[in-house]
Amino acid sequence: MTARSNDMAALRAALLLLLCGAAAAAGCGYQSCPSTRPGFLNVHLIPHTHDDVGWLKTVDQYYYGAHNEVQHAGVRYILDSVVAQLLAEPRRRFVYAEVAFLERWWKEQKEGMRRAVRTLVEEGRLELVGGGWCMGDEGAAHYSPSVEQLSLGRRFLREALGPCGIPRVAWQIDPFGHSRQMAAIFAQMGYDGLFLGRVDYQDKKARESRQEMEFIWRAGGASDPSPDSDIFTGILPNRYNPPLGFCWDQLCSDPPVVDEDSPENNVEAVVSSFLRIAADQAQRFRTNHIVMTMGSDFHYENAELWFSNMDKLISHVNAKQSNGSRVHVLYSTPSCYLWELHRANLTWPVKTDDFFPYSDGPHQFWTGFFSSRPGLKGYERLSSNFLQICSQLEALVGLAARKGPYGTGDSAVLRAAMAVMQHHDAVTGTEQQHVANDYGKQLAEGWAACQVLVANALSVLGGSKESFFFCEALNISVCPISEGAERFSVILYNPLPRRILWPIRLPVNGTSYAVTDPDGQAVPSVLVPTSTSTRRLRRPQDGGAALRELIFQASVPAVGFSAFGVTRLRGTKTPPSPPKPERPYEIENEHLRVRFDPITGLISEIRNLERGITLPVTQSFYWYNASIGNEDSEQASGAYIFRPNSSHPIPVVGSGHVSTSVVKTPQLQELQQRFSPWCSQAVRLHAGQRFVELEWTVGPIPVGDGWGKEIISRFDTTLRTEGRFYTDSNGRQILERRRDYRPTWNLTQTEPIAGNYYPVNTRIFIKDREVQLTVLTDRSQGGSSITDGSMELMVHRRLLYDDNRGVGEPLREDARQGMVVRGTHRVLLDRPTMAADVHRLMAQEMAAAPHVILSASGTPNVREFSALRSELPPSVHLLTLSADGETELLLRLEHQFESGESCNSSQPVSIDLLNLFAPFTITALQELNLGADGPLTSISRLHWKPATGPHHRRRPPTLLDPHQVTLRPMQIRTFLATVQR
Ligand SMILES: *[C@@H]1O[C@H](CO)[C@@H](O)[C@H](O)[C@H]1NC(C)=O
Ligand SMILES: *[C@@H]1O[C@H](CO)[C@@H](O)[C@H](O)[C@H]1NC(C)=O
Ligand SMILES: *[C@@H]1O[C@H](CO)[C@@H](O)[C@H](O)[C@H]1NC(C)=O
Ligand SMILES: [Zn+2]
């Protein structure tokens, strides 16, 4: 860079600062921070409440304070009480995080109260932190709904409270481990800092001794060392609780400060205890500023208790200064504490790995929640998929989608339900059963509203009024229309920005069918008998008794739909049972061949025919008996914690043979495996597809022998993996994992299985120099590689004991004598250098899969539709296309490859946005921050100096050329487009 352009950059930065200063003229932001005392130890008290968006009670029960016998908590009273206490005394400050609650409260307030709250926010006395709809989980969450929920919260804050309501600090004080992808998302939303409550106890101890509790997290990893993904991160000293003895909520029992003339007067004791704690804490941090979180779960319902005691504490501690004390205590906020750290002008250590897994003791690894409640986790991922489809159709069709022949619907209900689901006790599966049921109900209400919208939109785009059916039980092969109708059409909506070939599988009762594509051309199809495992799953009340399944491959254009016609052919008798296939222990398509061991019935080998790679692979199901505590520790396995009672999992099929049956047709070759009455699997190769599909069905897990069980699917290979395996971070970045090892601290491994488990949100793989075996998941699961060449995923768990982390229930999921869960793994075999080209695209195909809608009344007039003029290149994903009012759309485009992982697709790529969409013209385009709550140019972040590694300044945003929008590897860009239809 020349000196001249340096000056230009500086000028630009100065202008940006000026602009932002103007926006925040009311006085919020760092200039409203309380004054501190140089040369003193400044203790920042952070009054806060931690309000779970559902846990032991539902969201509504928490808000209204219902069922206080379960847990005393009423968020509306907390907000009432805090605001009154802040108004009463200007020095007091408070921080609030969960917008799901704040938004409800705000709607109930009169204008006078709203004005008062806005003033508190503008004066920095009430600070919003985090600012998502909830405090999102990082272990089981996918990045797409995580971005959406943060955006939903931040956009509400911007609208209700103005620019001062936009948080500067991400506040992840309770999630059970922290992902690098989420840190990168926080950075790209413009947060100046991130505060964490829970990190591994060994890591924390080491960091305290090295004064590395605060550091720069280089969250882009090695592939993206850009400062846009760096975020200053602080670990809080005491999780998010007050120091011992200083808990003054009505939920606590520490003695209040008595400074009156009374035998109870305890000022000297309180002050000296406080000074001791502060001095001790200061040892572990670098600057002369330290932080204390004054609050906890659902505190401040009677805020006066906390505030009046802190008022007294502050005045008595600071009074000691006249006797030479060098401690200054003050009401503060996370951003004001951060500001002081920044002013200290130090260089900070750099971290590039993540904070998984989390453990709070030698036998307490919080790696169970990666897999807890697989049914709910599956529904959550499916709902995220449907939300994308609903949002796209709302954007493409406009008002006529919201209100039309099928009624009134929109995406807002599902968006809010999905935002709630991201909470760290929701998608994690760590809520009580009745709360899990409530989350499911919220999602179902969202689906209903979206189904109305989708029907309206399809009738507009298709040019005819059909009766649409959303067959929600296709996973158990139940759909009255396909089973009963003589003729029906299958409409497939594809949200991906590329054409897709998708296997369709529908329950039918007829003996012969003809399928036609949108042009009326015949599509090859086959009938296969409904499998025994599927027939066992269907209950009479589910309806559905179809004898067969109709299978064909549907090709669907980008961001659009295709309608296929299906006609039942008359006059054919029951088809003769197909001849016994030759080679019953082998299935094959044009890309892959899978062999099974005739003795055991297990997969024994996978071959990629194009690449000429053959890998011996044995796949089977096992379980770990859940620990109920032992001589080492009383810790039991539970909703949060995974603790097997032995390192050796037990095979589901003992020494015997897995019973198998094979079907071979030109469209599909499938081998059914039955491991036990409660565990079965279909291994499938679909024509034209590059993956082996493993559809597993597990449950009810038997617990009659007194043992809780944690079921895994394990792949054993001959790959020389040298203790390494790879997992994704929230479905996006890939991180290398090493057995019994952490990249930045010396691990003493105390749980050889649970301590090696990591979150798998979409994929896990193992590889050597020649071969990579990848497994893609349809929901978040825990996974590991316990021995070289082996890889396992925990698909289901059922437990008989609580793990003593507060939820107070064993994870039994007793419905129907124990939850049955069905899901799929897609297995890929490739060269390591080529693997990303397939797994990147396929993971998006699974997370943004096409949706099947049936119509019994005929085919739409328009049988094929695509909203794109041309497909996007493989490296680009359309992350968001949603309506923002009638004439504006929100767009997020992302580069879905990391640099260096693909020869073809890891390069920067440019898109012509103006000529991308067919149904509308973009008349104006503005680039926004990732949260979509403000222009990108208004982001100005604090700059922190790393002690090691490159030290770049943030690139100023380049001028936007809508004809040529460039994306770097892993970059997400967000736009607000004004459109003319
Ligand atoms: C910050 O520290 C650097 C040296 O690392 C020094 O050059 C600079 O003047 C300092 N800035 C302030 C504002 O003290
Ligand atoms: C399909 O056939 C089965 C067995 O004959 C029958 O029980 C079921 O009712 C049929 N379903 C429909 C929708 O016709
Ligand atoms: C880990 O232990 C080794 C050997 O005891 C030591 O040299 C190294 O500095 C330690 N690393 C960290 C990050 O503490
Ligand atoms: Zn919590």
Side-chain angles (χ1 to χ4, degrees), residues 598-881:
I599 311 286
T600 61
L602 302 175
I603 293 175
S604 60
E605 178 192 289
I606 303 178
R607 181 171 171 80
N608 182 324
L609 301 166
E610 282 158 302
R611 307 261 194 258
I613 315 169
T614 305
L615 183 70
V617 181
T618 303
Q619 181 271 342
S620 193
F621 291 90
Y622 304 79
W623 79 76
Y624 294 104
N625 273 339
S627 180
I628 57 172
N630 62 8
E631 59 279 8
D632 294 333
S633 157
E634 288 180 353
Q635 184 62 53
S637 209
Y640 305 84
I641 286 168
F642 169 37
R643 186 172 186 225
N645 84 331
S646 145
S647 303
H648 302 287
I650 299 159
V652 170
V653 52
S655 51
H657 175 102
V658 172
S659 69
T660 61
S661 64
V662 71
V663 174
K664 290 195 181 188
T665 73
Q667 288 309 305
L668 170 80
Q669 300 205 350
E670 163 177 318
L671 186 128
Q672 291 275 344
Q673 299 171 310
R674 189 169 149 81
F675 292 80
S676 81
W678 52 269
C679 178
S680 60
Q681 181 170 256
V683 183
R684 297 185 180 128
L685 287 173
H686 298 275
Q689 303 286 3
R690 294 172 184 277
F691 56 87
V692 187
E693 178 178 294
L694 304 187
E695 185 189 65
W696 46 268
T697 305
V698 174
I701 299 173
V703 289
D705 58 1
W707 287 103
K709 295 183 182 59
E710 327 219 14
I711 319 299
I712 59 165
S713 167
R714 196 175 81 193
F715 301 78
D716 294 304
T717 74
T718 52
L719 291 175
R720 287 170 208 234
T721 55
E722 296 172 343
R724 284 160 217 249
F725 58 108
Y726 301 81
T727 59
D728 65 316
S729 185
N730 309 112
R732 206 153 184 271
Q733 300 177 349
I734 306 284
L735 273 74
E736 183 189 87
R737 309 298 190 182
R738 279 168 70 181
R739 194 160 57 247
D740 298 334
Y741 175 81
R742 305 289 185 260
T744 45
W745 48 283
N746 285 328
L747 170 71
T748 303
Q749 183 61 278
T750 41
E751 283 282 323
I753 309 293
N756 283 309
Y757 258 64
Y758 287 87
V760 175
N761 306 112
T762 57
R763 76 207 87 174
I764 180 170
F765 57 84
I766 50 176
K767 63 179 184 180
D768 62 14
R769 282 169 193 279
E770 300 297 322
V771 178
Q772 174 168 332
L773 185 72
T774 308
V775 181
L776 298 163
T777 67
D778 62 352
R779 71 200 69 201
S780 292
Q781 297 172 331
S784 188
S785 170
I786 299 296
T787 55
D788 280 0
S790 168
M791 168 164 66
E792 66 189 52
L793 286 155
M794 187 179 290
V795 295
H796 199 359
R797 55 205 308 256
R798 189 171 185 210
L799 307 169
L800 303 178
Y801 293 86
D802 178 43
D803 53 4
N804 204 19
R805 290 301 179 283
V807 70
E809 275 184 3
L811 185 75
R812 288 184 63 113
E813 297 194 279
D814 273 338
R816 222 184 148 174
Q817 288 85 53
M819 183 75 93
V820 185
V821 183
R822 171 171 274 187
T824 58
H825 288 146
R826 284 186 177 185
V827 181
L828 310 173
L829 182 72
D830 215 321
R831 301 263 174 232
T833 48
M834 301 174 185
D837 289 304
V838 182
H839 74 65
R840 284 287 174 194
L841 297 179
M842 202 159 290
Q844 294 295 10
E845 279 188 18
M846 291 179 78
H851 199 75
V852 176
I853 300 124
L854 265 57
S855 153
S857 45
T859 42
N861 293 331
V862 178
R863 292 185 196 156
E864 187 155 275
F865 164 83
S866 172
L868 297 192
R869 287 183 203 275
S870 56
E871 294 191 358
L872 291 176
S875 48
V876 181
H877 181 58
L878 178 63
L879 178 58
T880 306
L881 166 58

